[in-house]
Amino acid sequence: MDRRTFQRGLVALGAAGGTGLALGPGAASAVSADSGSATLDALRSRSVREYALPEAGQTHEPVKVPGAPLLLITQWYPSRLLKLSLDPHTEQVTGLAQFPLGDDTDLPHGLAASTRYPGRIWATLEGAHHLLLLDPAPHSLQAAPRVLRDIPLPDGGKGPHYVGEYGDLLWVSLKGSNQVLAIDHRHPERHWFFDARAQPIFVGRHPVSGEFYASQDKAGSLLRIPFPSGRTTQIAIPPERGATPVGLIAGLDALWVALLGTEGGGTGTFGRIDERGRITWYRLSSPMARSAGLLHIAFDPPKSGRGPGLWLLGSSIISDRVLDLIVRVELDRSHRRIVAEEAVALPTQLSKAHRLLVTRRSVFATEMHSSTLAHLEVPQGHR
């Protein structure tokens, strides 16, 4: 494997002024840097490594195989699943194998670790309109993953993008038919369709209310689904905050959404959705990140020794005028006040950075159009 190493530290911020306190739903948060932050100080001495992956039309979703030093990554065309071995101590990539996943035009995208089937991985085939349960064969890098379940979408459903497992249900965004699907993976005949606006990308469950939300990137709004009862509603993104909601993830007793922006650029904005559907907006303030197009969000895993905080991925997928970068935001213990932010630009720009994966020791980012995996080592044991 071709490893390209770039010794680039993270850029320290000067004080931005203000307290960094979010003033309530709908209010923007000022951001101030905290130079005493152990996690951010340690990050400054780290390097970003890039690993060249097999050339593909698009490189998409990474997932860590539970209990094994392995990553899986989907590549859209030709339809492939990459299997990467990691050093168990540094999490640097030590090997790679590639395997076809269906026909070339089946277009695998989403990946998610299963809890109902420990060690197994759910995958979406966006072109074939199927959901797969995979055995990643973690005992050997060269062992081909096996398809254990193949679930075709119910009639009318097209283009499965994101998949997430919530108990006995899989929640799936359907880009091809502008729907959100909830389907029982034990009894696929039990399913529910929810009409969405163009185009549903991510689906997330609020950790307090239990309601489901979907980001709709082309509609500039969020779909709110009070499953199993009640009517769906739309929550518009205020134009002054930005546009193109994409990343949507639960964490820190809330649901968080990232705004990608427009062809003119990004606004470095993300939001916290409370249990009543109200959104508190935050805008990044550092020179590198304040105009970022934010595509994805990730949280530190439990017991990582870091945080509370979150990671954001800025992407040139929306515009050639914005940077591909990784941003670390630290919050106070109430999870409502930003105390520090710091950013690092990916070495390969205009790569259309796509997804983040945060582990106990690392942050990985896939670069969609450069067939590249970026790796940022992160120390343990802070805070």
Side-chain angles (χ1 to χ4, degrees):
M1 170 173 295
D2 177 17
R3 188 186 81 185
R4 292 167 279 171
T5 303
F6 295 77
Q7 301 295 331
R8 290 195 178 186
L10 295 181
V11 178
L13 296 181
T19 63
L21 178 65
L23 302 178
S29 169
V31 180
S32 61
D34 175 7
S35 60
S37 167
T39 301
L40 295 181
D41 282 345
L43 281 175
R44 293 184 193 117
S45 66
R46 299 286 155 168
S47 62
V48 177
R49 293 179 174 86
E50 286 188 329
Y51 297 94
L53 304 175
E55 290 293 331
Q58 296 181 18
T59 296
H60 283 296
E61 196 85 21
V63 70
K64 174 76 165 51
V65 175
L70 287 172
L71 299 183
L72 300 182
I73 298 176
T74 49
Q75 290 192 310
W76 215 51
Y77 185 86
S79 299
R80 280 192 300 231
L81 187 68
L82 306 183
K83 194 172 173 181
L84 286 70
S85 59
L86 304 179
D87 181 283
H89 301 292
T90 65
E91 293 190 337
Q92 293 179 18
V93 176
T94 58
L96 180 149
Q98 57 180 309
F99 305 92
L101 192 60
D103 296 331
D104 280 352
T105 56
D106 282 355
L107 310 182
H109 194 286
L111 292 174
S114 172
T115 55
R116 282 288 195 254
Y117 309 99
R120 309 314 192 203
I121 304 293
W122 291 105
T124 64
L125 296 181
E126 197 166 322
H129 317 303
H130 281 233
L131 309 173
L132 304 179
L133 181 65
L134 304 176
D135 174 2
H139 61 281
S140 169
L141 180 65
Q142 301 302 326
R146 295 188 302 124
V147 177
L148 303 177
R149 299 276 307 280
D150 186 338
I151 304 173
L153 294 188
D155 289 346
K158 296 180 180 179
H161 192 71
Y162 162 91
V163 61
E165 182 191 271
Y166 297 89
D168 293 332
L169 297 183
L170 299 177
W171 283 77
V172 187
S173 61
L174 305 181
K175 285 182 65 176
S177 54
N178 288 328
Q179 296 168 305
V180 173
L181 169 68
I183 185 168
D184 190 323
H185 51 76
R186 301 170 309 155
H187 306 286
E189 67 276 7
R190 296 184 65 242
H191 59 267
W192 298 261
F193 281 118
F194 302 94
D195 290 335
R197 296 176 181 171
Q199 286 176 307
I201 303 297
F202 280 93
V203 182
R205 180 172 64 184
H206 198 286
V208 178
S209 71
E211 294 178 317
F212 285 84
Y213 288 74
S215 56
Q216 302 162 121
D217 63 349
K218 293 185 178 180
S221 65
L222 303 173
L223 178 66
R224 186 179 182 183
I225 307 171
F227 185 81
S229 61
R231 292 184 176 181
T232 62
T233 55
Q234 294 283 343
I235 300 175
I237 303 299
E240 66 272 16
R241 300 296 178 192
T244 318
V246 185
L248 187 71
I249 188 172
L252 306 179
D253 300 322
L255 202 61
W256 301 76
V257 61
L259 301 185
L260 185 57
T262 68
E263 292 182 1
T267 59
T269 299
F270 63 100
R272 178 185 184 274
I273 307 169
D274 71 12
E275 65 273 17
R276 297 174 63 182
R278 301 173 302 183
I279 305 177
T280 300
W281 295 104
Y282 303 89
R283 183 165 184 177
L284 302 175
S285 65
S286 68
M288 288 178 64
R290 63 191 175 199
S291 297
L294 300 179
L295 182 68
H296 200 209
I297 307 177
F299 287 92
D300 291 314
K303 301 180 181 179
S304 65
R306 302 191 297 269
L310 52 86
W311 299 86
L312 298 159
L313 184 68
S315 178
S316 60
I317 193 172
I318 191 67
S319 171
D320 290 348
R321 302 177 182 179
V322 300
L323 290 173
D324 294 284
L325 49 78
I326 296 173
V327 183
R328 169 73 177 180
V329 173
E330 290 200 357
L331 307 171
D332 71 357
R333 296 190 182 278
S334 73
H335 306 158
R336 290 176 172 82
R337 178 174 176 264
I338 296 177
V339 297
E341 79 176 65
E342 200 148 358
V344 57
L346 297 182
T348 302
Q349 287 296 305
L350 301 181
S351 62
K352 303 188 187 304
H354 195 59
R355 294 288 185 266
L356 281 176
L357 174 66
V358 180
T359 65
R360 292 190 68 183
R361 298 178 183 274
S362 304
V363 178
F364 295 96
T366 54
E367 301 178 22
M368 188 170 71
H369 276 203
S370 63
S371 300
T372 300
L373 178 70
H375 176 213
L376 174 67
E377 291 185 47
V378 182
Q380 293 180 276
H382 293 293
R383 288 187 181 266

